């Protein structure tokens, strides 16, 4: 018997997964004691059960982390069997080195906490840049899926005469694959990041942009600076329209307004983080990940 639960961020996906794998869905009560200590209570008996916790780390990454640890430990305290974390968006992966002296490599801390509390993890496009694979930080089985085929199919079905842009070298891997599925050309821009809020873009691989519908693909849109600069560049090269598609839409610090101002006419995100731009559903992809063992 499998029980699926969520801890505040991914209820819709969790219920979708439960339906697809014919498991039951369990509500969890999470609140605080009068002194601020966390309170967590399951609404079902989990003794002897495999439990799947579906929880995106956004919004509220710190709270999500703690809720996951509390839930996983509570399942074990009650005699539950395997605890699987399905994290559609996994936070902290961008902090994969100490960029400045004294900085905490927080991805390692996040992984250490999960290694201690859950038995396996399934996630989507976890920003593996300097880490070659999840094995670099996870000792538990960790499945990393990609939303490339979903994004490629979206472009193929919805955008005429597209050209795909990867706004930096790291994103070119996704852009190239998405372009293959959408059966169109792709290019890469070179991003120079002067600070977290100041980036510049230059086209590296020459393609005809004039008259085309440019589609910028990235794993994460956070402040929106990367896509905004790429959009301005695409427009200056003659793109008719610019669409931005991402796996994880964080959209912090007025990102949406910034993107619109930069000439982006449509913004589409996968529903790894719940947001009004969600246009691509990852539920079936996550179900396929649950069947994989690594
Ligand atoms: C960077 O390596 C990522 O792939 C994204 O390009 C980056 O996280 C986007 O951040 P922002 O929206 O703040 O420019």
């Amino acid at each position: 018997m499998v029980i699926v639960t969520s801890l505040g961020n991914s209820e819709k996906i969790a219920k979708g997964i439960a339906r697809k794998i014919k498991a039951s869905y369990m509500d969890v009560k999470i609140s605080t004691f009068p002194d601020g200590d966390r309170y967590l209570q399951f609404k079902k008996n989990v003794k002897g059960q495999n439990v799947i916790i579906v929880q995106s780390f956004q919004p509220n990454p710190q709270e999500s982390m703690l809720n996951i640890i509390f839930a996983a430990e509570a399942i074990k305290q009650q005699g539950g069997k395997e605890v699987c974390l399905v994290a559609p968006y996994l936070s902290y992966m961008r902090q994969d080195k100490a960029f400045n002296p004294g900085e905490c490599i927080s991805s390692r801390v996040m992984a250490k906490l999960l290694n201690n509390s859950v038995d396996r993890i399934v996630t989507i496009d976890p920003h593996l840049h300097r880490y070659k694979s999840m094995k670099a930080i996870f000792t538990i089985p960790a499945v990393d899926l990609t939303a490339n085929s979903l994004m490629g199919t979206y472009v193929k079905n919805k955008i005429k005469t597209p050209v795909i842009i990867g706004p930096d070298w790291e994103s070119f891997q996704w852009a190239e694959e998405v372009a293959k599925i959408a059966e169109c050309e792709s290019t890469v821009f070179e991003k120079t990041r002067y600070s977290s809020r100041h980036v510049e873009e230059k086209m590296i691989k020459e393609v005809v942009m004039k008259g085309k519908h440019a589609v910028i693909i990235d794993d994460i849109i956070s402040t929106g600076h990367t896509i905004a600069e790429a959009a301005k560049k695409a427009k200056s090269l003659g793109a008719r329209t610019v669409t931005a598609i991402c796996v994880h839409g964080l959209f912090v610090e007025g990102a949406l307004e910034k993107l619109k101002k930069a000439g982006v006419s449509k913004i589409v995100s996968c529903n790894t983080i719940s947001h009004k731009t969600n246009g691509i559903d990852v539920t079936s992809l996550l179900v396929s990940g649950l069947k994989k063992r690594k």
Side-chain angles (χ1 to χ4, degrees):
M1 172 82 176
V2 178
I3 294 177
V4 180
T5 190
S6 64
L7 309 170
N9 281 350
S10 308
E11 196 178 316
K12 201 169 157 212
I13 295 183
K15 287 184 172 165
I17 290 177
R19 263 194 309 277
K20 282 180 191 286
I21 65 170
K22 298 190 174 33
S24 60
Y25 181 82
M26 167 179 67
D27 281 319
V28 181
K29 181 178 174 192
I30 301 174
S31 62
T32 45
F33 287 100
D35 60 0
D37 282 1
R38 184 157 310 249
Y39 176 90
L40 186 144
Q41 184 195 28
F42 291 131
K43 297 290 180 188
K44 271 188 183 157
N45 186 352
V46 297
K47 192 162 185 217
Q49 314 289 348
N50 291 328
V51 183
I52 299 171
I53 301 170
V54 186
Q55 174 76 357
S56 178
F57 277 70
Q58 279 280 346
N60 307 319
Q62 277 64 255
E63 209 173 300
S64 294
M65 183 81 230
L66 208 59
N67 285 346
I68 290 164
I69 305 293
F70 269 57
E73 293 297 333
I75 292 162
K76 287 179 188 161
Q77 286 166 3
Q78 291 165 35
K81 254 160 80 183
E82 185 189 70
V83 180
C84 173
L85 171 65
V86 173
Y89 172 66
L90 191 59
S91 273
Y92 295 107
M93 291 298 281
R94 289 190 293 174
Q95 285 79 51
D96 52 5
K97 74 169 198 174
F99 295 92
N100 297 294
E103 277 179 1
C104 173
I105 306 173
S106 39
S107 53
R108 291 195 177 276
V109 181
M110 174 274 293
K112 198 169 170 181
L113 292 169
L114 295 181
N115 285 333
N116 280 339
S117 291
V118 307
D119 300 307
R120 63 182 184 119
I121 177 168
V122 176
T123 190
I124 301 177
D125 291 309
H127 202 82
L128 291 172
H129 283 188
R130 275 164 286 261
Y131 296 136
K132 282 204 177 68
S133 77
M134 298 287 269
K135 284 201 171 84
I137 51 173
F138 286 101
T139 53
I140 51 172
V143 172
D144 56 306
L145 304 158
T146 175
N148 281 341
S149 69
L150 297 175
M151 294 192 288
T153 307
Y154 181 93
V155 174
K156 193 171 178 185
N157 293 339
K158 308 251 182 200
I159 301 174
K160 286 198 180 98
T161 57
V163 54
I164 308 290
I165 300 168
D168 52 26
W169 276 113
E170 290 122 345
S171 63
F172 190 51
Q173 42 174 326
W174 302 298
E176 238 186 344
E177 228 184 291
V178 168
K180 231 180 258 166
I181 299 160
E183 295 167 5
C184 64
E185 273 197 300
S186 62
T187 183
V188 60
F189 287 178
E190 189 176 66
K191 173 166 85 176
T192 310
R193 189 180 273 283
Y194 296 99
S195 73
S196 60
R197 294 179 180 80
H198 179 200
V199 297
E200 269 176 26
E201 298 275 1
K202 175 163 112 198
M203 179 152 82
I204 297 299
K205 184 184 159 217
E206 290 297 321
V207 292
V208 178
M209 194 71 65
K210 207 167 162 46
K212 298 272 181 69
H213 293 285
V215 181
I216 309 171
I217 299 280
D218 211 347
D219 60 340
I220 296 172
I221 299 180
S222 181
T223 65
H225 281 101
T226 303
I227 302 279
E229 291 312 316
K232 286 185 211 159
K233 189 83 205 161
K235 279 275 182 192
S236 75
L237 292 167
R240 258 171 87 182
T241 62
V242 180
T243 298
I245 303 183
C246 67
V247 183
H248 311 295
L250 276 72
F251 302 114
V252 300
E253 299 185 351
L256 284 187
E257 291 67 35
K258 202 176 296 150
L259 295 182
K260 281 184 191 146
K261 229 169 123 186
V264 180
S265 52
K266 193 166 171 63
I267 303 159
V268 182
S269 63
C270 298
N271 61 349
T272 59
I273 298 166
S274 174
H275 191 264
K276 61 181 174 187
T277 58
N278 289 166
I280 300 172
D281 182 22
V282 296
T283 310
S284 298
L285 179 65
L286 290 167
V287 169
S288 75
L290 283 168
K291 291 175 191 149
K292 292 186 185 169
R293 291 269 168 184
K294 266 197 185 173

